[in-house]
Amino acid sequence: MTSDIHRRGRAAVTAAPGPGAALDYYLISSGTGAEGVVVEEFALTGDFRTVGLDTAGWTAAEGVWWSSAAFGRAMREDPGLRTRVRAVSRPEAEAAYRDLGGGELPGETRLRALFHDHRPLPDSPPLRLNPPRVPDGFHDTRVYRVLFAGEPHLSRLADVVTLAVEAEDPQIRVVGTGELRTALDVFTWDVRRIGPGTACSVDLTAHLGTTSDEPLGPLLRRLTTVMRHAGAVPVTVERFS
C-alpha cells in the first residue's frame, strides 16, 4: 500500500500505525509532571464505524487500575481535562509507568481485560441520500468522517497533510489536505475545523479499485493516530456513503 505515494504537494502516510500501537495510550499530567497512564480502545463495525469505547487508567496516587466510561467521556467534553492528557506511544507509556512506580506496563491482552465499563456509542448505517458516485475504474466509493474534540497543533500534521496557506486563521475551515494513491485505490482527505478550538475532523473519501476494503482500516487508524499525537482527541468515526 505504500507504493506510488505522492510526497510533494500531497501528504505521505504509511499504511500502518507502527508496532505496539493497537491500543491508544495517554499520559495524565499536572503542573508537576506525569501522574498516570490512560489506555483506550474503540469498538468498530466491519466497515470501520465506531460503536463503543473502553477506557482504563492508572495513577501513582491510587496505585490500581480502574475502568471508567465517565472518564473517557470527560476527556472529550472537558477542555480542562484535555489540557492534562497527552497522547503517547506505548514505549513512552511504559517508561512513564515504570518511572511512576508501577513496574512493567501490562501487555495489551491484560490491559483489555481491565476494560469493565464499556461505553456504547451511537451508530447508524451509512446515510445514502443519493447513489454513490463511483468514478470509472473503481468498484466502490466511501466517505468517512473521523470526529475529534479540540484542535490539533498544525505543525504536527506535516506527515499527513499539506497545510493551507492561511491554516492558522481560525476562520479557515479546511486547514490541510492529503492524498494516497496505490496501484488500485485512491484516498483523499481534508482536515477540517468544525468549531475553532472546539472540534475538528478528518474527512476521508476512498475510491476502491477492488471489492476489498482492507486498506481502509490501517489508513483510518494512521490518520487518527497522527491527529491524536497532534493534540486532538478522537470521538467517533462515521460513514456517510
Side-chain angles (χ1 to χ4, degrees), residues 46-95:
D47 63 347
F48 313 112
R49 306 187 318 273
T50 53
V51 292
L53 175 64
D54 289 291
T55 304
W58 178 93
T59 59
E62 295 175 313
V64 296
W65 284 91
W66 40 263
S67 178
S68 175
F71 189 88
R73 183 183 302 109
M75 281 177 57
R76 289 147 179 88
E77 297 178 355
D78 183 348
L81 178 58
R82 280 204 304 276
T83 64
R84 298 177 52 217
V85 174
R86 178 172 64 89
V88 295
S89 65
R90 179 173 170 92
E92 290 174 303
E94 289 173 334

mmCIF file of all heavy atoms in Angstrom, residues 46-95:
data_model
loop_
_atom_site.group_PDB
_atom_site.id
_atom_site.type_symbol
_atom_site.label_atom_id
_atom_site.label_comp_id
_atom_site.label_asym_id
_atom_site.label_seq_id
_atom_site.Cartn_x
_atom_site.Cartn_y
_atom_site.Cartn_z
ATOM 1 N N GLY A 46 -17.613 -3.829 11.006
ATOM 2 C CA GLY A 46 -16.823 -4.388 9.931
ATOM 3 C C GLY A 46 -16.409 -3.377 8.887
ATOM 4 O O GLY A 46 -15.418 -3.579 8.174
ATOM 5 N N ASP A 47 -17.153 -2.257 8.792
ATOM 6 C CA ASP A 47 -16.775 -1.211 7.840
ATOM 7 C C ASP A 47 -16.184 0.013 8.548
ATOM 8 O O ASP A 47 -16.201 1.122 8.023
ATOM 9 C CB ASP A 47 -17.950 -0.813 6.949
ATOM 10 C CG ASP A 47 -19.111 -0.205 7.734
ATOM 11 O OD1 ASP A 47 -19.119 -0.318 8.983
ATOM 12 O OD2 ASP A 47 -20.019 0.372 7.103
ATOM 13 N N PHE A 48 -15.663 -0.205 9.769
ATOM 14 C CA PHE A 48 -14.808 0.748 10.481
ATOM 15 C C PHE A 48 -15.552 1.918 11.120
ATOM 16 O O PHE A 48 -14.941 2.917 11.471
ATOM 17 C CB PHE A 48 -13.703 1.290 9.548
ATOM 18 C CG PHE A 48 -13.007 0.221 8.770
ATOM 19 C CD1 PHE A 48 -13.152 0.126 7.391
ATOM 20 C CD2 PHE A 48 -12.242 -0.741 9.410
ATOM 21 C CE1 PHE A 48 -12.541 -0.886 6.667
ATOM 22 C CE2 PHE A 48 -11.621 -1.756 8.701
ATOM 23 C CZ PHE A 48 -11.775 -1.826 7.315
ATOM 24 N N ARG A 49 -16.862 1.793 11.351
ATOM 25 C CA ARG A 49 -17.570 2.787 12.145
ATOM 26 C C ARG A 49 -17.385 2.458 13.623
ATOM 27 O O ARG A 49 -17.283 1.297 14.000
ATOM 28 C CB ARG A 49 -19.061 2.808 11.809
ATOM 29 C CG ARG A 49 -19.357 2.980 10.343
ATOM 30 C CD ARG A 49 -20.858 3.165 10.049
ATOM 31 N NE ARG A 49 -21.726 2.299 10.812
ATOM 32 C CZ ARG A 49 -22.078 1.060 10.447
ATOM 33 N NH1 ARG A 49 -21.594 0.534 9.337
ATOM 34 N NH2 ARG A 49 -22.899 0.343 11.188
ATOM 35 N N THR A 50 -17.372 3.470 14.476
ATOM 36 C CA THR A 50 -17.219 3.233 15.908
ATOM 37 C C THR A 50 -18.575 2.970 16.557
ATOM 38 O O THR A 50 -19.561 3.654 16.266
ATOM 39 C CB THR A 50 -16.552 4.434 16.609
ATOM 40 O OG1 THR A 50 -17.269 5.625 16.287
ATOM 41 C CG2 THR A 50 -15.120 4.575 16.169
ATOM 42 N N VAL A 51 -18.622 1.977 17.442
ATOM 43 C CA VAL A 51 -19.856 1.643 18.145
ATOM 44 C C VAL A 51 -19.650 1.574 19.654
ATOM 45 O O VAL A 51 -20.595 1.312 20.395
ATOM 46 C CB VAL A 51 -20.434 0.306 17.639
ATOM 47 C CG1 VAL A 51 -20.935 0.445 16.212
ATOM 48 C CG2 VAL A 51 -19.409 -0.819 17.750
ATOM 49 N N GLY A 52 -18.426 1.818 20.118
ATOM 50 C CA GLY A 52 -18.194 1.775 21.553
ATOM 51 C C GLY A 52 -16.781 2.201 21.895
ATOM 52 O O GLY A 52 -15.915 2.294 21.021
ATOM 53 N N LEU A 53 -16.571 2.506 23.158
ATOM 54 C CA LEU A 53 -15.262 2.946 23.648
ATOM 55 C C LEU A 53 -15.008 2.347 25.022
ATOM 56 O O LEU A 53 -15.886 2.354 25.889
ATOM 57 C CB LEU A 53 -15.209 4.480 23.735
ATOM 58 C CG LEU A 53 -13.944 5.091 24.333
ATOM 59 C CD1 LEU A 53 -12.725 4.793 23.464
ATOM 60 C CD2 LEU A 53 -14.115 6.608 24.515
ATOM 61 N N ASP A 54 -13.790 1.843 25.208
ATOM 62 C CA ASP A 54 -13.347 1.350 26.512
ATOM 63 C C ASP A 54 -12.175 2.196 26.992
ATOM 64 O O ASP A 54 -11.252 2.487 26.218
ATOM 65 C CB ASP A 54 -12.915 -0.113 26.415
ATOM 66 C CG ASP A 54 -14.084 -1.045 26.207
ATOM 67 O OD1 ASP A 54 -14.887 -1.199 27.148
ATOM 68 O OD2 ASP A 54 -14.205 -1.613 25.098
ATOM 69 N N THR A 55 -12.214 2.582 28.257
ATOM 70 C CA THR A 55 -11.179 3.424 28.847
ATOM 71 C C THR A 55 -10.764 2.855 30.201
ATOM 72 O O THR A 55 -11.616 2.535 31.035
ATOM 73 C CB THR A 55 -11.692 4.865 29.057
ATOM 74 O OG1 THR A 55 -12.168 5.396 27.820
ATOM 75 C CG2 THR A 55 -10.586 5.766 29.596
ATOM 76 N N ALA A 56 -9.469 2.702 30.400
ATOM 77 C CA ALA A 56 -8.936 2.284 31.700
ATOM 78 C C ALA A 56 -7.754 3.175 32.043
ATOM 79 O O ALA A 56 -7.094 3.730 31.155
ATOM 80 C CB ALA A 56 -8.510 0.824 31.681
ATOM 81 N N GLY A 57 -7.492 3.330 33.321
ATOM 82 C CA GLY A 57 -6.396 4.204 33.729
ATOM 83 C C GLY A 57 -5.738 3.738 35.010
ATOM 84 O O GLY A 57 -6.255 2.870 35.741
ATOM 85 N N TRP A 58 -4.592 4.321 35.244
ATOM 86 C CA TRP A 58 -3.814 4.031 36.453
ATOM 87 C C TRP A 58 -3.110 5.309 36.857
ATOM 88 O O TRP A 58 -2.522 5.999 36.013
ATOM 89 C CB TRP A 58 -2.788 2.948 36.172
ATOM 90 C CG TRP A 58 -1.880 2.592 37.324
ATOM 91 C CD1 TRP A 58 -2.056 1.610 38.238
ATOM 92 C CD2 TRP A 58 -0.632 3.230 37.668
ATOM 93 N NE1 TRP A 58 -1.021 1.591 39.140
ATOM 94 C CE2 TRP A 58 -0.126 2.576 38.806
ATOM 95 C CE3 TRP A 58 0.086 4.300 37.109
ATOM 96 C CZ2 TRP A 58 1.072 2.958 39.407
ATOM 97 C CZ3 TRP A 58 1.271 4.685 37.711
ATOM 98 C CH2 TRP A 58 1.767 4.013 38.846
ATOM 99 N N THR A 59 -3.177 5.676 38.141
ATOM 100 C CA THR A 59 -2.428 6.820 38.656
ATOM 101 C C THR A 59 -1.547 6.368 39.802
ATOM 102 O O THR A 59 -1.892 5.430 40.544
ATOM 103 C CB THR A 59 -3.361 7.952 39.137
ATOM 104 O OG1 THR A 59 -4.217 7.457 40.172
ATOM 105 C CG2 THR A 59 -4.197 8.501 37.984
ATOM 106 N N ALA A 60 -0.426 7.032 39.941
ATOM 107 C CA ALA A 60 0.512 6.678 41.004
ATOM 108 C C ALA A 60 -0.117 6.870 42.377
ATOM 109 O O ALA A 60 0.158 6.116 43.318
ATOM 110 C CB ALA A 60 1.779 7.513 40.870
ATOM 111 N N ALA A 61 -0.987 7.874 42.503
ATOM 112 C CA ALA A 61 -1.599 8.151 43.797
ATOM 113 C C ALA A 61 -2.489 7.008 44.259
ATOM 114 O O ALA A 61 -2.541 6.676 45.451
ATOM 115 C CB ALA A 61 -2.409 9.443 43.720
ATOM 116 N N GLU A 62 -3.227 6.364 43.308
ATOM 117 C CA GLU A 62 -4.122 5.272 43.677
ATOM 118 C C GLU A 62 -3.414 3.924 43.629
ATOM 119 O O GLU A 62 -3.707 3.031 44.415
ATOM 120 C CB GLU A 62 -5.337 5.265 42.746
ATOM 121 C CG GLU A 62 -6.214 6.501 42.887
ATOM 122 C CD GLU A 62 -7.343 6.509 41.873
ATOM 123 O OE1 GLU A 62 -7.069 6.259 40.682
ATOM 124 O OE2 GLU A 62 -8.487 6.752 42.272
ATOM 125 N N GLY A 63 -2.533 3.759 42.667
ATOM 126 C CA GLY A 63 -1.755 2.533 42.578
ATOM 127 C C GLY A 63 -2.498 1.325 42.056
ATOM 128 O O GLY A 63 -1.976 0.209 42.103
ATOM 129 N N VAL A 64 -3.724 1.520 41.549
ATOM 130 C CA VAL A 64 -4.510 0.414 40.996
ATOM 131 C C VAL A 64 -5.126 0.861 39.680
ATOM 132 O O VAL A 64 -5.342 2.053 39.440
ATOM 133 C CB VAL A 64 -5.624 -0.048 41.967
ATOM 134 C CG1 VAL A 64 -5.026 -0.624 43.236
ATOM 135 C CG2 VAL A 64 -6.573 1.104 42.286
ATOM 136 N N TRP A 65 -5.436 -0.130 38.822
ATOM 137 C CA TRP A 65 -6.099 0.164 37.561
ATOM 138 C C TRP A 65 -7.598 0.304 37.776
ATOM 139 O O TRP A 65 -8.189 -0.384 38.608
ATOM 140 C CB TRP A 65 -5.831 -0.952 36.549
ATOM 141 C CG TRP A 65 -4.454 -0.879 35.967
ATOM 142 C CD1 TRP A 65 -3.332 -1.487 36.432
ATOM 143 C CD2 TRP A 65 -4.065 -0.146 34.802
ATOM 144 N NE1 TRP A 65 -2.256 -1.180 35.638
ATOM 145 C CE2 TRP A 65 -2.671 -0.359 34.624
ATOM 146 C CE3 TRP A 65 -4.740 0.668 33.887
ATOM 147 C CZ2 TRP A 65 -1.955 0.217 33.575
ATOM 148 C CZ3 TRP A 65 -4.041 1.238 32.844
ATOM 149 C CH2 TRP A 65 -2.664 1.012 32.688
ATOM 150 N N TRP A 66 -8.215 1.220 37.029
ATOM 151 C CA TRP A 66 -9.662 1.416 37.075
ATOM 152 C C TRP A 66 -10.188 1.545 35.652
ATOM 153 O O TRP A 66 -9.473 1.899 34.721
ATOM 154 C CB TRP A 66 -10.020 2.666 37.889
ATOM 155 C CG TRP A 66 -9.113 3.847 37.663
ATOM 156 C CD1 TRP A 66 -8.047 4.220 38.435
ATOM 157 C CD2 TRP A 66 -9.168 4.800 36.580
ATOM 158 N NE1 TRP A 66 -7.435 5.336 37.908
ATOM 159 C CE2 TRP A 66 -8.102 5.718 36.776
ATOM 160 C CE3 TRP A 66 -10.005 4.960 35.480
ATOM 161 C CZ2 TRP A 66 -7.858 6.775 35.909
ATOM 162 C CZ3 TRP A 66 -9.764 6.022 34.601
ATOM 163 C CH2 TRP A 66 -8.707 6.923 34.827
ATOM 164 N N SER A 67 -11.450 1.205 35.476
ATOM 165 C CA SER A 67 -12.132 1.321 34.181
ATOM 166 C C SER A 67 -13.259 2.329 34.335
ATOM 167 O O SER A 67 -14.050 2.243 35.276
ATOM 168 C CB SER A 67 -12.681 -0.040 33.745
ATOM 169 O OG SER A 67 -13.370 0.059 32.520
ATOM 170 N N SER A 68 -13.347 3.300 33.420
ATOM 171 C CA SER A 68 -14.312 4.383 33.617
ATOM 172 C C SER A 68 -14.791 4.956 32.295
ATOM 173 O O SER A 68 -14.052 5.662 31.603
ATOM 174 C CB SER A 68 -13.695 5.496 34.462
ATOM 175 O OG SER A 68 -14.573 6.601 34.555
ATOM 176 N N ALA A 69 -16.046 4.670 31.955
ATOM 177 C CA ALA A 69 -16.661 5.301 30.793
ATOM 178 C C ALA A 69 -16.806 6.800 31.019
ATOM 179 O O ALA A 69 -16.688 7.594 30.081
ATOM 180 C CB ALA A 69 -18.027 4.673 30.516
ATOM 181 N N ALA A 70 -17.039 7.213 32.272
ATOM 182 C CA ALA A 70 -17.204 8.633 32.577
ATOM 183 C C ALA A 70 -15.911 9.405 32.310
ATOM 184 O O ALA A 70 -15.942 10.538 31.813
ATOM 185 C CB ALA A 70 -17.640 8.812 34.034
ATOM 186 N N PHE A 71 -14.766 8.802 32.618
ATOM 187 C CA PHE A 71 -13.506 9.483 32.364
ATOM 188 C C PHE A 71 -13.266 9.618 30.863
ATOM 189 O O PHE A 71 -12.821 10.660 30.385
ATOM 190 C CB PHE A 71 -12.344 8.731 33.015
ATOM 191 C CG PHE A 71 -11.046 9.488 32.973
ATOM 192 C CD1 PHE A 71 -10.718 10.380 33.982
ATOM 193 C CD2 PHE A 71 -10.152 9.321 31.925
ATOM 194 C CE1 PHE A 71 -9.525 11.095 33.942
ATOM 195 C CE2 PHE A 71 -8.961 10.015 31.877
ATOM 196 C CZ PHE A 71 -8.648 10.910 32.886
ATOM 197 N N GLY A 72 -13.571 8.555 30.103
ATOM 198 C CA GLY A 72 -13.430 8.641 28.660
ATOM 199 C C GLY A 72 -14.306 9.737 28.069
ATOM 200 O O GLY A 72 -13.892 10.464 27.158
ATOM 201 N N ARG A 73 -15.526 9.885 28.592
ATOM 202 C CA ARG A 73 -16.410 10.951 28.133
ATOM 203 C C ARG A 73 -15.839 12.318 28.508
ATOM 204 O O ARG A 73 -15.850 13.253 27.698
ATOM 205 C CB ARG A 73 -17.799 10.773 28.752
ATOM 206 C CG ARG A 73 -18.821 11.799 28.273
ATOM 207 C CD ARG A 73 -20.157 11.622 28.974
ATOM 208 N NE ARG A 73 -20.706 10.295 28.769
ATOM 209 C CZ ARG A 73 -20.788 9.368 29.700
ATOM 210 N NH1 ARG A 73 -20.347 9.617 30.937
ATOM 211 N NH2 ARG A 73 -21.306 8.193 29.434
ATOM 212 N N ALA A 74 -15.315 12.434 29.721
ATOM 213 C CA ALA A 74 -14.778 13.717 30.172
ATOM 214 C C ALA A 74 -13.569 14.150 29.355
ATOM 215 O O ALA A 74 -13.360 15.342 29.122
ATOM 216 C CB ALA A 74 -14.423 13.640 31.653
ATOM 217 N N MET A 75 -12.755 13.197 28.896
ATOM 218 C CA MET A 75 -11.606 13.536 28.063
ATOM 219 C C MET A 75 -12.033 14.263 26.792
ATOM 220 O O MET A 75 -11.279 15.057 26.230
ATOM 221 C CB MET A 75 -10.834 12.264 27.668
ATOM 222 C CG MET A 75 -9.933 11.723 28.753
ATOM 223 S SD MET A 75 -9.123 10.161 28.264
ATOM 224 C CE MET A 75 -8.272 10.629 26.753
ATOM 225 N N ARG A 76 -13.261 14.005 26.356
ATOM 226 C CA ARG A 76 -13.753 14.592 25.127
ATOM 227 C C ARG A 76 -14.633 15.822 25.349
ATOM 228 O O ARG A 76 -14.796 16.628 24.438
ATOM 229 C CB ARG A 76 -14.516 13.529 24.337
ATOM 230 C CG ARG A 76 -13.557 12.486 23.772
ATOM 231 C CD ARG A 76 -14.112 11.083 23.685
ATOM 232 N NE ARG A 76 -13.082 10.216 23.093
ATOM 233 C CZ ARG A 76 -12.141 9.581 23.792
ATOM 234 N NH1 ARG A 76 -12.120 9.660 25.118
ATOM 235 N NH2 ARG A 76 -11.229 8.849 23.182
ATOM 236 N N GLU A 77 -15.171 15.958 26.559
ATOM 237 C CA GLU A 77 -16.106 17.041 26.828
ATOM 238 C C GLU A 77 -15.540 18.152 27.700
ATOM 239 O O GLU A 77 -16.073 19.266 27.710
ATOM 240 C CB GLU A 77 -17.376 16.483 27.483
ATOM 241 C CG GLU A 77 -18.146 15.512 26.598
ATOM 242 C CD GLU A 77 -19.371 14.940 27.282
ATOM 243 O OE1 GLU A 77 -19.568 15.238 28.492
ATOM 244 O OE2 GLU A 77 -20.131 14.207 26.624
ATOM 245 N N ASP A 78 -14.479 17.868 28.435
ATOM 246 C CA ASP A 78 -13.922 18.834 29.390
ATOM 247 C C ASP A 78 -12.598 19.385 28.861
ATOM 248 O O ASP A 78 -11.567 18.703 28.905
ATOM 249 C CB ASP A 78 -13.703 18.143 30.737
ATOM 250 C CG ASP A 78 -13.187 19.087 31.809
ATOM 251 O OD1 ASP A 78 -12.782 20.224 31.475
ATOM 252 O OD2 ASP A 78 -13.162 18.693 32.990
ATOM 253 N N PRO A 79 -12.594 20.636 28.363
ATOM 254 C CA PRO A 79 -11.343 21.200 27.828
ATOM 255 C C PRO A 79 -10.230 21.246 28.866
ATOM 256 O O PRO A 79 -9.057 21.094 28.528
ATOM 257 C CB PRO A 79 -11.752 22.616 27.382
ATOM 258 C CG PRO A 79 -13.229 22.548 27.180
ATOM 259 C CD PRO A 79 -13.724 21.566 28.203
ATOM 260 N N GLY A 80 -10.572 21.460 30.130
ATOM 261 C CA GLY A 80 -9.560 21.496 31.173
ATOM 262 C C GLY A 80 -8.859 20.170 31.339
ATOM 263 O O GLY A 80 -7.629 20.104 31.496
ATOM 264 N N LEU A 81 -9.632 19.074 31.292
ATOM 265 C CA LEU A 81 -9.025 17.750 31.389
ATOM 266 C C LEU A 81 -8.174 17.456 30.163
ATOM 267 O O LEU A 81 -7.096 16.868 30.280
ATOM 268 C CB LEU A 81 -10.103 16.682 31.565
ATOM 269 C CG LEU A 81 -9.625 15.234 31.632
ATOM 270 C CD1 LEU A 81 -8.629 15.029 32.773
ATOM 271 C CD2 LEU A 81 -10.810 14.279 31.779
ATOM 272 N N ARG A 82 -8.636 17.879 28.988
ATOM 273 C CA ARG A 82 -7.865 17.617 27.766
ATOM 274 C C ARG A 82 -6.485 18.250 27.822
ATOM 275 O O ARG A 82 -5.527 17.728 27.251
ATOM 276 C CB ARG A 82 -8.608 18.113 26.529
ATOM 277 C CG ARG A 82 -9.694 17.189 26.055
ATOM 278 C CD ARG A 82 -9.997 17.387 24.580
ATOM 279 N NE ARG A 82 -10.341 18.757 24.236
ATOM 280 C CZ ARG A 82 -11.544 19.289 24.343
ATOM 281 N NH1 ARG A 82 -12.548 18.548 24.794
ATOM 282 N NH2 ARG A 82 -11.776 20.534 24.007
ATOM 283 N N THR A 83 -6.356 19.376 28.510
ATOM 284 C CA THR A 83 -5.035 20.003 28.607
ATOM 285 C C THR A 83 -4.079 19.178 29.471
ATOM 286 O O THR A 83 -2.871 19.366 29.396
ATOM 287 C CB THR A 83 -5.137 21.413 29.205
ATOM 288 O OG1 THR A 83 -5.623 21.338 30.554
ATOM 289 C CG2 THR A 83 -6.062 22.291 28.377
ATOM 290 N N ARG A 84 -4.623 18.262 30.274
ATOM 291 C CA ARG A 84 -3.803 17.426 31.150
ATOM 292 C C ARG A 84 -3.516 16.050 30.557
ATOM 293 O O ARG A 84 -2.818 15.252 31.175
ATOM 294 C CB ARG A 84 -4.496 17.254 32.500
ATOM 295 C CG ARG A 84 -4.704 18.550 33.267
ATOM 296 C CD ARG A 84 -5.457 18.283 34.552
ATOM 297 N NE ARG A 84 -4.820 17.209 35.324
ATOM 298 C CZ ARG A 84 -5.489 16.302 36.028
ATOM 299 N NH1 ARG A 84 -6.817 16.326 36.060
ATOM 300 N NH2 ARG A 84 -4.830 15.364 36.699
ATOM 301 N N VAL A 85 -4.087 15.770 29.389
ATOM 302 C CA VAL A 85 -3.954 14.454 28.775
ATOM 303 C C VAL A 85 -3.180 14.591 27.470
ATOM 304 O O VAL A 85 -3.507 15.422 26.632
ATOM 305 C CB VAL A 85 -5.340 13.833 28.520
ATOM 306 C CG1 VAL A 85 -5.206 12.524 27.758
ATOM 307 C CG2 VAL A 85 -6.073 13.591 29.833
ATOM 308 N N ARG A 86 -2.151 13.778 27.305
ATOM 309 C CA ARG A 86 -1.304 13.844 26.104
ATOM 310 C C ARG A 86 -1.128 12.457 25.518
ATOM 311 O O ARG A 86 -0.784 11.509 26.218
ATOM 312 C CB ARG A 86 0.063 14.441 26.462
ATOM 313 C CG ARG A 86 1.044 14.501 25.296
ATOM 314 C CD ARG A 86 2.289 15.266 25.681
ATOM 315 N NE ARG A 86 3.054 14.629 26.753
ATOM 316 C CZ ARG A 86 4.018 13.727 26.548
ATOM 317 N NH1 ARG A 86 4.318 13.331 25.314
ATOM 318 N NH2 ARG A 86 4.684 13.219 27.570
ATOM 319 N N ALA A 87 -1.384 12.331 24.217
ATOM 320 C CA ALA A 87 -1.202 11.049 23.534
ATOM 321 C C ALA A 87 0.273 10.694 23.462
ATOM 322 O O ALA A 87 1.119 11.548 23.181
ATOM 323 C CB ALA A 87 -1.794 11.122 22.127
ATOM 324 N N VAL A 88 0.574 9.423 23.719
ATOM 325 C CA VAL A 88 1.956 8.947 23.665
ATOM 326 C C VAL A 88 1.977 7.576 22.997
ATOM 327 O O VAL A 88 0.947 6.920 22.830
ATOM 328 C CB VAL A 88 2.590 8.844 25.072
ATOM 329 C CG1 VAL A 88 2.720 10.224 25.704
ATOM 330 C CG2 VAL A 88 1.782 7.900 25.969
ATOM 331 N N SER A 89 3.169 7.129 22.630
ATOM 332 C CA SER A 89 3.350 5.782 22.112
ATOM 333 C C SER A 89 3.371 4.790 23.278
ATOM 334 O O SER A 89 3.506 5.181 24.451
ATOM 335 C CB SER A 89 4.662 5.692 21.342
ATOM 336 O OG SER A 89 5.760 5.886 22.225
ATOM 337 N N ARG A 90 3.256 3.506 22.969
ATOM 338 C CA ARG A 90 3.358 2.515 24.055
ATOM 339 C C ARG A 90 4.715 2.577 24.749
ATOM 340 O O ARG A 90 4.763 2.530 25.984
ATOM 341 C CB ARG A 90 3.072 1.102 23.533
ATOM 342 C CG ARG A 90 3.216 0.078 24.660
ATOM 343 C CD ARG A 90 2.813 -1.321 24.311
ATOM 344 N NE ARG A 90 3.222 -2.226 25.394
ATOM 345 C CZ ARG A 90 2.461 -2.565 26.434
ATOM 346 N NH1 ARG A 90 1.234 -2.099 26.541
ATOM 347 N NH2 ARG A 90 2.913 -3.382 27.361
ATOM 348 N N PRO A 91 5.855 2.683 24.025
ATOM 349 C CA PRO A 91 7.129 2.792 24.750
ATOM 350 C C PRO A 91 7.174 3.971 25.711
ATOM 351 O O PRO A 91 7.737 3.865 26.804
ATOM 352 C CB PRO A 91 8.159 2.929 23.627
ATOM 353 C CG PRO A 91 7.546 2.209 22.473
ATOM 354 C CD PRO A 91 6.084 2.511 22.571
ATOM 355 N N GLU A 92 6.586 5.100 25.324
ATOM 356 C CA GLU A 92 6.547 6.259 26.230
ATOM 357 C C GLU A 92 5.675 5.957 27.446
ATOM 358 O O GLU A 92 6.007 6.341 28.573
ATOM 359 C CB GLU A 92 6.024 7.485 25.492
ATOM 360 C CG GLU A 92 6.971 8.041 24.454
ATOM 361 C CD GLU A 92 6.353 9.160 23.658
ATOM 362 O OE1 GLU A 92 5.284 8.933 23.044
ATOM 363 O OE2 GLU A 92 6.921 10.269 23.625
ATOM 364 N N ALA A 93 4.551 5.267 27.218
ATOM 365 C CA ALA A 93 3.685 4.904 28.336
ATOM 366 C C ALA A 93 4.391 3.925 29.274
ATOM 367 O O ALA A 93 4.286 4.026 30.506
ATOM 368 C CB ALA A 93 2.383 4.292 27.810
ATOM 369 N N GLU A 94 5.128 2.972 28.705
ATOM 370 C CA GLU A 94 5.882 2.015 29.518
ATOM 371 C C GLU A 94 6.901 2.730 30.400
ATOM 372 O O GLU A 94 7.036 2.420 31.594
ATOM 373 C CB GLU A 94 6.594 1.022 28.608
ATOM 374 C CG GLU A 94 5.671 0.036 27.924
ATOM 375 C CD GLU A 94 6.392 -0.828 26.901
ATOM 376 O OE1 GLU A 94 7.434 -0.375 26.365
ATOM 377 O OE2 GLU A 94 5.919 -1.945 26.630
ATOM 378 N N ALA A 95 7.609 3.697 29.818
ATOM 379 C CA ALA A 95 8.630 4.419 30.577
ATOM 380 C C ALA A 95 8.003 5.232 31.706
ATOM 381 O O ALA A 95 8.509 5.245 32.840
ATOM 382 C CB ALA A 95 9.428 5.328 29.641
#
